[in-house]
Amino acid sequence: MPELITPTGRLHSSWLAARDEWPPGAHQDGTGLRLAPEADLDSPEVFSVWVERLREQADRSVAVGEGRVHATHWWIVEDDSYLGAIDLRHYLNAFLLDVGGHIGYSIRPSARRRGLATWALGAVLPEARAFGLDRVLVTCDDDNVGSARSIERNGGVLEDVRTTDAGVKRRYWITP
C-alpha cells in the first residue's frame, strides 16, 4: 500500500535508482529538484542538504528565494521504495498561475500505470483544503493523457489549454 511521507535521507539509494530511470535532464514535476545544491546528489551528505531544503520550503517563517513560493513536499513510497513525489504550493506566483499550478507530481517510470498519481493527488487535496485553498490549479502537458486522467478523476475541470514558455499546458481547477 503506498503512502505519502516527508522526504527523508534514509531513502537515498531508492531515490537514486528512481532518478536513474529518467532520461538525463528530464523535468520531474513536484520533486523540488530545483532546490538541489549544485553538487551531485549521489553524495549522501549533499542529498541530506537537499532533503532539508525540501522540508524548509514548507516553513512560512523561512524566506524562499526570488521567484519561489512556499510548498510542502511528500514522497510517494511503498515498502521503503521511492515511487515518486508530489508537492503542494501554498500560493501561486505569475509563473505557477500560467504554467505550474498549486500541485505538481511525478511518478518514476517503472511505477507508472498503477494509479499512483491519481491516488497521491487525491491524498493531497485535503491538505490543500486545510491550507484554506478553496480551489486548486493543477496543470499538465497537453499530450500527457495519463496525467490529464488523474486530474479529471479527482474532479478537475478544464479551464483552458494554452501555449506557454514551457510548452502547451492543460489547466484544470479542482475544488478540494
Side-chain angles (χ1 to χ4, degrees), residues 61-78:
S61 70
V62 176
V64 291
E66 174 121 9
R68 300 199 186 283
V69 300
H70 288 94
T72 303
H73 297 269
W74 294 274
W75 286 353
I76 304 161
V77 301
E78 188 172 54

PDB file of all heavy atoms in Angstrom, residues 61-78:
ATOM      1  N   SER A  61       7.865  30.741   7.949  1.00  0.00           N
ATOM      2  CA  SER A  61       8.701  31.705   8.672  1.00  0.00           C
ATOM      3  C   SER A  61      10.097  31.819   8.052  1.00  0.00           C
ATOM      4  O   SER A  61      10.870  32.681   8.434  1.00  0.00           O
ATOM      5  CB  SER A  61       8.816  31.313  10.151  1.00  0.00           C
ATOM      6  OG  SER A  61       9.597  30.145  10.299  1.00  0.00           O
ATOM      7  N   VAL A  62      10.396  30.944   7.087  1.00  0.00           N
ATOM      8  CA  VAL A  62      11.683  30.965   6.387  1.00  0.00           C
ATOM      9  C   VAL A  62      11.451  31.546   4.989  1.00  0.00           C
ATOM     10  O   VAL A  62      10.604  31.054   4.244  1.00  0.00           O
ATOM     11  CB  VAL A  62      12.283  29.539   6.281  1.00  0.00           C
ATOM     12  CG1 VAL A  62      13.564  29.544   5.471  1.00  0.00           C
ATOM     13  CG2 VAL A  62      12.504  28.939   7.655  1.00  0.00           C
ATOM     14  N   ALA A  63      12.198  32.587   4.654  1.00  0.00           N
ATOM     15  CA  ALA A  63      12.046  33.212   3.336  1.00  0.00           C
ATOM     16  C   ALA A  63      12.456  32.236   2.234  1.00  0.00           C
ATOM     17  O   ALA A  63      13.395  31.460   2.405  1.00  0.00           O
ATOM     18  CB  ALA A  63      12.908  34.477   3.262  1.00  0.00           C
ATOM     19  N   VAL A  64      11.719  32.285   1.130  1.00  0.00           N
ATOM     20  CA  VAL A  64      12.080  31.476  -0.036  1.00  0.00           C
ATOM     21  C   VAL A  64      12.734  32.394  -1.059  1.00  0.00           C
ATOM     22  O   VAL A  64      12.572  33.605  -1.019  1.00  0.00           O
ATOM     23  CB  VAL A  64      10.843  30.770  -0.648  1.00  0.00           C
ATOM     24  CG1 VAL A  64      10.321  29.707   0.282  1.00  0.00           C
ATOM     25  CG2 VAL A  64       9.751  31.748  -1.013  1.00  0.00           C
ATOM     26  N   GLY A  65      13.491  31.832  -1.955  1.00  0.00           N
ATOM     27  CA  GLY A  65      14.217  32.620  -2.944  1.00  0.00           C
ATOM     28  C   GLY A  65      13.296  33.325  -3.926  1.00  0.00           C
ATOM     29  O   GLY A  65      12.105  33.005  -4.040  1.00  0.00           O
ATOM     30  N   GLU A  66      13.866  34.263  -4.620  1.00  0.00           N
ATOM     31  CA  GLU A  66      13.132  35.026  -5.631  1.00  0.00           C
ATOM     32  C   GLU A  66      12.486  34.092  -6.651  1.00  0.00           C
ATOM     33  O   GLU A  66      13.118  33.151  -7.134  1.00  0.00           O
ATOM     34  CB  GLU A  66      14.095  35.972  -6.342  1.00  0.00           C
ATOM     35  CG  GLU A  66      13.466  36.689  -7.493  1.00  0.00           C
ATOM     36  CD  GLU A  66      13.511  38.193  -7.333  1.00  0.00           C
ATOM     37  OE1 GLU A  66      14.184  38.679  -6.417  1.00  0.00           O
ATOM     38  OE2 GLU A  66      12.855  38.843  -8.127  1.00  0.00           O
ATOM     39  N   GLY A  67      11.237  34.333  -6.940  1.00  0.00           N
ATOM     40  CA  GLY A  67      10.507  33.532  -7.907  1.00  0.00           C
ATOM     41  C   GLY A  67       9.986  32.221  -7.352  1.00  0.00           C
ATOM     42  O   GLY A  67       9.343  31.454  -8.057  1.00  0.00           O
ATOM     43  N   ARG A  68      10.229  31.939  -6.096  1.00  0.00           N
ATOM     44  CA  ARG A  68       9.784  30.687  -5.459  1.00  0.00           C
ATOM     45  C   ARG A  68       8.593  30.969  -4.543  1.00  0.00           C
ATOM     46  O   ARG A  68       8.367  32.108  -4.158  1.00  0.00           O
ATOM     47  CB  ARG A  68      10.910  30.064  -4.651  1.00  0.00           C
ATOM     48  CG  ARG A  68      12.129  29.722  -5.484  1.00  0.00           C
ATOM     49  CD  ARG A  68      13.020  28.728  -4.783  1.00  0.00           C
ATOM     50  NE  ARG A  68      14.245  28.496  -5.487  1.00  0.00           N
ATOM     51  CZ  ARG A  68      14.373  27.744  -6.567  1.00  0.00           C
ATOM     52  NH1 ARG A  68      13.343  27.152  -7.072  1.00  0.00           N
ATOM     53  NH2 ARG A  68      15.552  27.578  -7.137  1.00  0.00           N
ATOM     54  N   VAL A  69       7.875  29.924  -4.210  1.00  0.00           N
ATOM     55  CA  VAL A  69       6.780  30.023  -3.243  1.00  0.00           C
ATOM     56  C   VAL A  69       6.973  28.935  -2.197  1.00  0.00           C
ATOM     57  O   VAL A  69       7.686  27.955  -2.425  1.00  0.00           O
ATOM     58  CB  VAL A  69       5.398  29.877  -3.921  1.00  0.00           C
ATOM     59  CG1 VAL A  69       5.170  30.960  -4.979  1.00  0.00           C
ATOM     60  CG2 VAL A  69       5.207  28.491  -4.517  1.00  0.00           C
ATOM     61  N   HIS A  70       6.337  29.107  -1.066  1.00  0.00           N
ATOM     62  CA  HIS A  70       6.371  28.044  -0.055  1.00  0.00           C
ATOM     63  C   HIS A  70       5.609  26.827  -0.590  1.00  0.00           C
ATOM     64  O   HIS A  70       4.591  26.976  -1.281  1.00  0.00           O
ATOM     65  CB  HIS A  70       5.755  28.527   1.253  1.00  0.00           C
ATOM     66  CG  HIS A  70       6.632  29.508   1.960  1.00  0.00           C
ATOM     67  ND1 HIS A  70       6.502  30.867   1.811  1.00  0.00           N
ATOM     68  CD2 HIS A  70       7.687  29.310   2.790  1.00  0.00           C
ATOM     69  CE1 HIS A  70       7.425  31.478   2.533  1.00  0.00           C
ATOM     70  NE2 HIS A  70       8.163  30.557   3.138  1.00  0.00           N
ATOM     71  N   ALA A  71       6.110  25.658  -0.282  1.00  0.00           N
ATOM     72  CA  ALA A  71       5.491  24.418  -0.756  1.00  0.00           C
ATOM     73  C   ALA A  71       5.776  23.299   0.235  1.00  0.00           C
ATOM     74  O   ALA A  71       6.818  23.290   0.892  1.00  0.00           O
ATOM     75  CB  ALA A  71       6.036  24.044  -2.134  1.00  0.00           C
ATOM     76  N   THR A  72       4.844  22.379   0.311  1.00  0.00           N
ATOM     77  CA  THR A  72       5.030  21.177   1.124  1.00  0.00           C
ATOM     78  C   THR A  72       5.300  20.022   0.165  1.00  0.00           C
ATOM     79  O   THR A  72       4.570  19.849  -0.822  1.00  0.00           O
ATOM     80  CB  THR A  72       3.780  20.897   1.976  1.00  0.00           C
ATOM     81  OG1 THR A  72       3.514  22.042   2.792  1.00  0.00           O
ATOM     82  CG2 THR A  72       3.990  19.671   2.859  1.00  0.00           C
ATOM     83  N   HIS A  73       6.344  19.265   0.459  1.00  0.00           N
ATOM     84  CA  HIS A  73       6.766  18.150  -0.394  1.00  0.00           C
ATOM     85  C   HIS A  73       6.490  16.828   0.305  1.00  0.00           C
ATOM     86  O   HIS A  73       6.722  16.697   1.508  1.00  0.00           O
ATOM     87  CB  HIS A  73       8.270  18.229  -0.692  1.00  0.00           C
ATOM     88  CG  HIS A  73       8.651  19.451  -1.459  1.00  0.00           C
ATOM     89  ND1 HIS A  73       8.696  19.469  -2.839  1.00  0.00           N
ATOM     90  CD2 HIS A  73       8.996  20.696  -1.056  1.00  0.00           C
ATOM     91  CE1 HIS A  73       9.064  20.671  -3.238  1.00  0.00           C
ATOM     92  NE2 HIS A  73       9.257  21.436  -2.173  1.00  0.00           N
ATOM     93  N   TRP A  74       6.026  15.863  -0.472  1.00  0.00           N
ATOM     94  CA  TRP A  74       5.882  14.489   0.012  1.00  0.00           C
ATOM     95  C   TRP A  74       6.500  13.557  -1.018  1.00  0.00           C
ATOM     96  O   TRP A  74       6.520  13.855  -2.211  1.00  0.00           O
ATOM     97  CB  TRP A  74       4.407  14.097   0.149  1.00  0.00           C
ATOM     98  CG  TRP A  74       3.643  14.826   1.171  1.00  0.00           C
ATOM     99  CD1 TRP A  74       3.534  14.527   2.505  1.00  0.00           C
ATOM    100  CD2 TRP A  74       2.822  15.980   0.965  1.00  0.00           C
ATOM    101  NE1 TRP A  74       2.706  15.433   3.123  1.00  0.00           N
ATOM    102  CE2 TRP A  74       2.261  16.332   2.209  1.00  0.00           C
ATOM    103  CE3 TRP A  74       2.511  16.772  -0.144  1.00  0.00           C
ATOM    104  CZ2 TRP A  74       1.400  17.414   2.370  1.00  0.00           C
ATOM    105  CZ3 TRP A  74       1.666  17.849   0.012  1.00  0.00           C
ATOM    106  CH2 TRP A  74       1.123  18.163   1.250  1.00  0.00           C
ATOM    107  N   TRP A  75       6.973  12.436  -0.528  1.00  0.00           N
ATOM    108  CA  TRP A  75       7.409  11.371  -1.420  1.00  0.00           C
ATOM    109  C   TRP A  75       6.375  10.262  -1.372  1.00  0.00           C
ATOM    110  O   TRP A  75       5.805   9.960  -0.314  1.00  0.00           O
ATOM    111  CB  TRP A  75       8.777  10.842  -1.001  1.00  0.00           C
ATOM    112  CG  TRP A  75       9.889  11.791  -1.351  1.00  0.00           C
ATOM    113  CD1 TRP A  75       9.813  12.938  -2.083  1.00  0.00           C
ATOM    114  CD2 TRP A  75      11.248  11.652  -0.971  1.00  0.00           C
ATOM    115  NE1 TRP A  75      11.044  13.519  -2.193  1.00  0.00           N
ATOM    116  CE2 TRP A  75      11.943  12.752  -1.515  1.00  0.00           C
ATOM    117  CE3 TRP A  75      11.957  10.720  -0.234  1.00  0.00           C
ATOM    118  CZ2 TRP A  75      13.312  12.932  -1.346  1.00  0.00           C
ATOM    119  CZ3 TRP A  75      13.312  10.890  -0.070  1.00  0.00           C
ATOM    120  CH2 TRP A  75      13.982  11.993  -0.625  1.00  0.00           C
ATOM    121  N   ILE A  76       6.141   9.679  -2.520  1.00  0.00           N
ATOM    122  CA  ILE A  76       5.232   8.547  -2.652  1.00  0.00           C
ATOM    123  C   ILE A  76       6.095   7.301  -2.507  1.00  0.00           C
ATOM    124  O   ILE A  76       7.024   7.084  -3.290  1.00  0.00           O
ATOM    125  CB  ILE A  76       4.529   8.579  -4.025  1.00  0.00           C
ATOM    126  CG1 ILE A  76       3.813   9.921  -4.227  1.00  0.00           C
ATOM    127  CG2 ILE A  76       3.583   7.394  -4.167  1.00  0.00           C
ATOM    128  CD1 ILE A  76       3.474  10.238  -5.678  1.00  0.00           C
ATOM    129  N   VAL A  77       5.822   6.519  -1.468  1.00  0.00           N
ATOM    130  CA  VAL A  77       6.652   5.346  -1.184  1.00  0.00           C
ATOM    131  C   VAL A  77       5.778   4.127  -0.938  1.00  0.00           C
ATOM    132  O   VAL A  77       4.597   4.237  -0.589  1.00  0.00           O
ATOM    133  CB  VAL A  77       7.586   5.570   0.031  1.00  0.00           C
ATOM    134  CG1 VAL A  77       8.516   6.744  -0.203  1.00  0.00           C
ATOM    135  CG2 VAL A  77       6.795   5.770   1.296  1.00  0.00           C
ATOM    136  N   GLU A  78       6.396   2.989  -1.116  1.00  0.00           N
ATOM    137  CA  GLU A  78       5.761   1.720  -0.789  1.00  0.00           C
ATOM    138  C   GLU A  78       6.860   0.777  -0.354  1.00  0.00           C
ATOM    139  O   GLU A  78       7.842   0.591  -1.092  1.00  0.00           O
ATOM    140  CB  GLU A  78       5.020   1.188  -2.016  1.00  0.00           C
ATOM    141  CG  GLU A  78       4.170  -0.022  -1.736  1.00  0.00           C
ATOM    142  CD  GLU A  78       3.312  -0.379  -2.945  1.00  0.00           C
ATOM    143  OE1 GLU A  78       3.874  -0.545  -4.051  1.00  0.00           O
ATOM    144  OE2 GLU A  78       2.100  -0.493  -2.776  1.00  0.00           O
TER     145      GLU A  78
END
